Amino acid sequence: MPGKLKAKIVAGRHLPVMDRASDLTDAFVEVKFGNTTFKTDVFPKSLNPQWNSEWFKFEVDDEDLQDEPLQITVLDHDTYSANDAIGKVYIDIDPLLSCEAATVISGWLPIYDTIHGIRGEINVLVKVDLFNDLNRFRQSSCGVKFFCTTSIPRCYRVALVHGFVEELVVNEDPEYQWIDRIRTPRASNEARQRLISLMSGELQRKIGLKVLEMGGNAVVGYLQCFDLEGESGLVVRAIGTACTLDKLSPGTAPNTTTHTNTHTLPNTAPTSNACNSPSKDSKEPVFSEDPPHSLSGPPTPLRTLPSSSPPPFSPSKPCSRQSSSSDTDLSLTPRIERFVSSPGVFLCPSSPTLSFDSPSLPSSGLILCSIGSALRAYTPPPLPSVQSEGSVLRKTVSFSEELMLAASGMGSGGSVGKEAGPLKTLLRQHTQSALEQREFPIFTLTCFPPGFLVHVGGVVSTRSVKLLDRIHNPDEPETRDAWWEEIRQEIKSHAKALGCHAVVGYSESTSICEEVCILSASGTAAMLNPRFMREGCLDTGGSDHRLSRQPHPGMVGSERGEGEVSSTWLGFEDASPPSCGFVHIPYDEFNMPFPAQLTYCYHCRRQKVPDVLFTTIDLPAEAEVTGKGCLIQARLCRTKKKAQGEVNATSISNLLPFMEYELHTQLMNKLKLRSMNALFGLRIQISVGENMLLGLASATGVYLSALPAPGGIQIAGKTPSDLSYDQHISTMQKRIDDTIAKNKELYNIHPPKLFTLDPEAFTGLNTECIEEVVGSPIPDRQRSSRLFRSTSESSDELSELDLSHGKKDAFVLEIDDTDAVEDIQSLLTDAPIPAGFYSCNTEVMPGIHNWTSGLQMFTSVRVYRLSNANLTNQGLNKIFTDLCENLLKSLYFKLRSMIPCCLCHLNFTVAVPEEELIQVAVTAVAMSFDKETQQAADKALTRGSGENEEQLQFSMEMCGESTISNNQPTAKPSGVPESAMVHSSRVSSSERCSPLPEGRSRSLRSTRSLPCGAPVTVVKMTPLSFLPGTRIVKYLGIINMFFIRETTSLREEGGVSGFLHSFIAEVFAMVRAHVAALGGNALVSYSMKECVFMENPNKNQAQCLINVSGDAVIFIRESDQEAIPPLLTSRQTSSTGADGTT
Amino acid sequence: MSMELDVFVGNTTIMDMEVYQLWLDGLTVSDAVKVRMDEGALLECEANPEVLTSDTMDQFRTFQMCERLLHSPTKLGSQLLYQIPAQNQIILIERYYEFDSVFAREVLGKKLSKGTKKDLDDTSCKTGITLKSCRRQFDNFKRVFKVVEELKGPLVENIQRHFLLSDTLARDYAAIVFFANSRFETGKRKLQYLSFQDFAFCAGQLISYWTIGAMGAPTVPDSMMEDMDVDLEKEFLNELKDLKVLVNDKDMMDQHKILVCAALRGKIKVYKLMEVNFKNLSRALINLASKLTHTKDVRDLFIDLVEKFIEPCRYDRWTVAEITLFLTHYTNAAHCLGTFRHQMIWDRYMGVIKSCILQMYHE
């Protein structure tokens, strides 16, 4: 009996009238947990009963505590007939099981009925007394903390990241059981709600067990999904990242808030410390910035880090002058996987067998069709230009050969390394030992502690089409497990092909239509700093690990690489600025997994970077961005013939590669149209319907200062002889050029021209030359290389595009290609965002820092009926695009009172609920920011070098060793062109509007900010992991709720819109009430994972299922003026420090 | 292609107060869209008619769903369904309960019954206010009336407490409740020139000075507290009979006249006419007072005032200033009558009558 659950029913209010005669209600309450039920007395004739019950006590296993919800039913007593149920409240006990979360649940909770909605409220008190469980073989995992947040929660520091955890449970769906024919809809809905609640409890418990096994104490980035497979059952699955988190003491807590969120919060000591570190100790590699460490006090991260700093070597720049290897690519991603997977067969015997040509039918009757099949993906692209096809094919082949080479090299850890230098090999081995031993080096995080992310390779994704069949034995969900296993294996092998050992920003999703199911997974291939991962069970012993974190002043080099690492190397490495490291390619330059244009990093000039970078993660806090970002969407609609079973599955899997390809092309075009070079938070959703497939890709485009400027878009015609045709093309071209120019203005993208320095000059370390360069125009050679770089590989039509033919200025669209026409259409039909608005789908918008506390989370759902069944693909595309554009327009209009504001974390979900219906659901948060301070900040920054001088002084004071070099920018002590760098710090900061002014604007704002005297009942909700201008002081537990609402009087409830509107409002209300009952005042990382809407207007019926989740937190307003000056200071130092060392 | 479903739900309920007004005015969605377009809504945020329609529909739906809560405004603060900032809640309620005085004037003094509600389409035609809006306003009157009717304590405070209305609006509602309860005659042709504000002012005067609550609650025993604001004080009305002495006692009447004339001589242009009419005017006011024990005559208070006093004065072209002067001296002179002992009652009566007459004395 390791737990005692106690519940007390206090009162009810606003109850519905249950007795028509008296217009009153005789209410009583049943409290049920497991199989035990208690009842309160009947409180006669009142709509506001006061029960004030005794404490009902349940003595239960903690296993049950985790699985079961506390079920409270409010009933109306009826002497003569059966008691009528008024409604229910399910309370998840889980938050009470962790000592660090909530201690009591107390408050008014809405009483919910699946037919009538919310019917009054009930005031309850729930507590748990947990006894210590010493049983080693326990089945419970009480105390493991769960977070939906995909970053390290504020007010915690991460000690270790253990890695991927997943679990899946299946059951029969009560809605499809025989008994459903004879029971009421209410009973059926309640059975379903209860079952799902049970299943998610069980799932969480099982995941918790896995975490305990790994030695962790928390799951971050917990993502739980339901697959309503209909006849074949109900699947609840979850993935997450197991971590060991240490709670920060309240004093230090505020500091953590910043590290992922430097933009919104005043910078804090740790971060600055962190950023600063490189300059402090010139031998220290980039990674030293680990706020948690610095916070923790004694164990100074700075020293120790080097030991764990293998990543520095990773890129192996030292040995190979420019030939250094790490490059990343990115853009190609979708394509990559296609390439990858086919070779994957050769490369990775361990990966699941992929049957490309003929979808095999395993005994379970499923079709496995990986879209990875390279040839299919490639050959069929709907390119009318036959001539190019041949070359494309040829090319493909060659790539895969390269890929094979690269991959095999990696696998053995030898061949590539030789070429690139021993260090690289070392790194590979090192990280391999840490990561590759695990089955899935996969992380659901999208934001990382500084230093965690070393390099980013690009997006990896996999889709697989399956045929569902009944789950025969719910206790052994092996088929589903196996499906996901295959997918993850494939993801892993894709990452390998990109020269990466891990996948971050990982997520999984499904789309189900009848018996066909598309399983999708995507993430970002990355190189990680293994320091965060070495754990007892892996190569390095726990004690070792611990040691490495102790301050060892003498231990400067890396524990492994030390021997080989020459001091020059260290110096070199050290010079690599932290803000650009992640864009450096992780794969080998000479064995690129796909064709990409590499250039020297525009920031550090030492490492190769790709021309475009696609990722699924959030913009790293340290990334330097020019201008602002914006939401970029690619939308696609493809018709498909209605079919059954295998035929259907095959046709879908045949369509998928085309869709991915086209979505990718669209994204690329739109990115270039906005003059940006990187995508973050990329999410591609493909939904299947009976007669069509919908594809929607959303991402936030930015201009990364470290990547080359994108070339324009050039339209080329095939029949140049025709005059009118030429004219047509030139008008198009002009429109596109105008749009690009306009967008540059709009997003404030003015890359610093000064920095186009010749990389050769750098390596030569010829300082004189550099000084010249700073003031003088770009060297010729660089110019040519710029031209070269701007070509993009992404269009297949450009068969002639290859490395030898590099003088192309722009991305070329051939107009006589029907696809291209479509592309151009979609490019130019995207409506501009109204003035005062910005939008992104990531956590924060680059370039906007001074958020006010104005916040509005919202969900908008639209369903469109396609009246014309015989639409062409193009017609459908147009409709679909218009839907999305109009929806966005409506959102802007609706939120116009918040201008200037940014829609953050815009999350679109598309579905095809029925034939000819398209459903689009959007959840996002609108956050207003302060325009005046923003401008003031911009001005202050651009004011000139005076400001810079100040910053430098700070850095002097703070970092002793680097003082000299910083103090005399014109000198070149380390051979690194300081003058250039100082410059860069200024320019970049003006663009980012970062350090100093940010501090200022913040202090301005904080004086203005409202006191926290808002009514207690207000609960804020946001899909982000933070609330601007506030500090999260406590995480109270995860909120994960599933509701069903059904009506048989649709018209009376205001039709489908009225029905859904009130249901969503009810869901929000219940979420808020539960957060408040836990003692919280906000829900962060909110997401609506499921919104399944079904209607039958003829029968006047509708049903809707909604699943929401998030982290309940307590936040306090940042009104503490005191904290700001020191933070300001440190922020300044941090930035200068970081830049200074470069 | 058609939009089948279109909803927008914010964690904080978004309410556009301009659209709210259109909804309160009883416009249909398409009419509201037209109005908004005319007002230039399309210029904002690059909107198009589609966006505007969607927004208007959504807002209307939101208001409709909130309407239930607005019926008992105190619930709005404690309900969990919609998170509405306190500031907005106040505005929502206030606007919902605001009414067109033209409409209120029509309904004033009528029984707030189903029968009256059925006649609302006539009222709607007459006033040009949409039927929907008329119904809402009527229902508001009725709702407030029903809630307050049974309650003890000061009327205005009760209304404020239960409906969270501003002071001015609560006073207007008090007037409506008061009129509906006492069923004052307001519909006669001769009274048509009076506005709602005129009556509301008079009602305020009556509530303040002629009801039980008016004379300081502490002296009134608890059992008597009921309806203390809604009904006129019976005792007071009975005592008004004593004022008859002012017209019945010839000496007193003459002396009263002499005093008034002495005070007004040379000060008003209509002095001559006043001197001639004094007895009629005085008799009119005193008779009015003595009749108020009958419910029927209470109802006719305003028509009597108009017929017996205001019309004669108006015929003689008295100015407001002259009436003010006359009534002031008429009231004060009574104090100088040695034999007149009902000073308290007299002041209480004349205070209200004077301010009512002054309010009502216009074209």
Side-chain angles (χ1 to χ4, degrees), chain B residues 56-149:
Chain B
T56 312
M57 283 221 296
D58 180 71
Q59 290 280 300
F60 272 42
R61 197 186 314 120
T62 308
F63 300 135
Q64 210 171 323
M65 292 196 301
C66 288
E67 191 168 13
R68 186 174 53 84
L69 296 166
L70 289 167
H71 291 168
S72 44
T74 45
K75 268 193 196 169
L76 194 64
S78 64
Q79 56 85 32
L80 303 175
L81 190 51
Y82 305 101
Q83 187 158 278
I84 305 169
Q87 202 61 39
N88 276 8
Q89 288 186 18
I90 296 169
I91 302 174
L92 276 184
I93 296 168
E94 189 77 4
R95 293 259 187 101
Y96 189 78
Y97 282 90
E98 264 169 19
F99 51 83
D100 295 293
S101 38
V102 192
F103 174 80
R105 175 68 186 83
E106 286 298 314
V107 180
L108 207 57
K110 281 184 189 161
K111 204 173 166 190
L112 297 174
S113 64
K114 282 195 178 136
T116 316
K117 196 176 176 183
K118 273 183 194 145
D119 297 336
L120 283 182
D121 33 3
D122 291 343
T123 320
S124 168
C125 287
K126 196 172 160 190
T127 57
I129 298 163
T130 60
L131 183 58
K132 210 179 145 214
S133 179
C134 287
R135 291 215 172 113
R136 171 182 60 86
Q137 299 182 30
F138 182 82
D139 289 341
N140 284 344
F141 294 165
K142 197 172 168 182
R143 194 175 313 112
V144 174
F145 181 79
K146 283 218 153 179
V147 168
V148 173
E149 192 183 33

Side-chain angles (χ1 to χ4, degrees), chain A residues 838-1112:
Chain A
Y838 292 95
S839 60
C840 63
N841 74 336
T842 47
E843 285 252 312
V844 280
M845 176 69 155
I848 299 178
H849 313 296
N850 38 358
W851 303 107
T852 65
S853 54
L855 188 80
Q856 170 69 281
M857 189 281 294
F858 60 86
T859 288
S860 182
V861 182
R862 285 189 177 186
V863 175
Y864 302 85
R865 183 173 293 280
L866 306 167
S867 42
N868 184 358
N870 300 320
L871 281 167
T872 58
N873 278 340
Q874 232 154 316
L876 273 174
N877 269 349
K878 171 101 175 65
I879 288 171
F880 185 39
T881 304
D882 288 351
L883 302 187
C884 295
E885 286 291 326
N886 270 327
L887 184 49
L888 280 170
K889 264 189 205 163
S890 283
L891 296 182
Y892 295 137
F893 184 75
K894 191 145 293 254
L895 297 162
R896 64 194 184 285
S897 64
M898 293 184 74
I899 284 179
C901 96
C902 178
L903 303 191
C904 292
H905 216 284
L906 264 169
N907 186 7
F908 276 69
T909 317
V910 291
V912 191
E914 269 174 57
E915 215 177 312
E916 289 173 22
L917 287 189
I918 298 180
Q919 177 186 320
V920 183
V922 186
T923 296
V925 61
M927 301 205 290
S928 57
F929 57 91
D930 210 324
K931 199 157 203 175
E932 278 149 46
T933 40
Q934 176 94 24
Q935 283 166 348
D938 286 339
K939 247 180 232 160
L941 263 174
T942 43
R943 213 185 302 147
S945 58
E947 213 87 37
N948 269 305
E949 223 77 42
E950 258 175 68
Q951 294 180 12
L952 285 173
Q953 306 234 315
F954 274 111
S955 76
M956 276 192 284
E957 287 160 20
M958 298 293 288
C959 10
E961 286 160 72
S962 61
T963 313
I964 311 145
S965 56
N966 277 332
N967 205 9
Q968 312 160 326
T970 37
K972 7 34 203 206
S974 63
V976 180
E978 292 291 335
S979 57
M981 287 319 158
V982 169
H983 242 314
S984 90
S985 79
R986 186 202 305 160
V987 175
S988 65
S989 59
S990 72
E991 249 121 39
R992 299 175 49 186
C993 155
S994 54
L996 181 54
E998 186 182 343
R1000 264 186 202 163
S1001 66
R1002 287 210 54 80
S1003 61
L1004 275 179
R1005 185 156 63 77
S1006 55
T1007 56
R1008 202 181 305 168
S1009 72
L1010 296 165
C1012 49
V1016 208
T1017 45
V1018 172
V1019 175
K1020 298 206 171 196
M1021 289 167 73
T1022 175
L1024 307 179
S1025 62
F1026 65 94
L1027 291 145
T1030 66
R1031 222 161 65 188
I1032 293 173
V1033 290
K1034 192 169 187 186
Y1035 281 81
L1036 298 165
I1038 199 168
I1039 295 275
N1040 187 0
M1041 300 172 100
F1042 177 84
F1043 297 104
I1044 302 178
R1045 180 87 151 78
E1046 188 164 347
T1047 183
T1048 48
S1049 50
L1050 189 57
R1051 273 186 296 277
E1052 293 76 0
E1053 293 197 31
V1056 284
S1057 294
F1059 171 71
L1060 191 62
H1061 192 145
S1062 53
F1063 183 37
I1064 294 176
E1066 282 169 352
V1067 170
F1068 285 4
M1070 287 185 277
V1071 169
R1072 286 192 303 257
H1074 281 258
V1075 170
L1078 286 169
N1081 55 5
L1083 186 79
V1084 297
S1085 298
Y1086 164 82
S1087 74
M1088 181 176 282
K1089 280 185 236 128
E1090 206 80 58
C1091 179
V1092 184
F1093 179 76
M1094 287 158 288
E1095 54 163 330
N1096 189 340
N1098 298 331
K1099 284 191 179 169
N1100 207 16
Q1101 289 175 344
Q1103 191 192 37
C1104 185
L1105 298 83
I1106 287 183
N1107 174 218
V1108 292
S1109 65
D1111 296 325

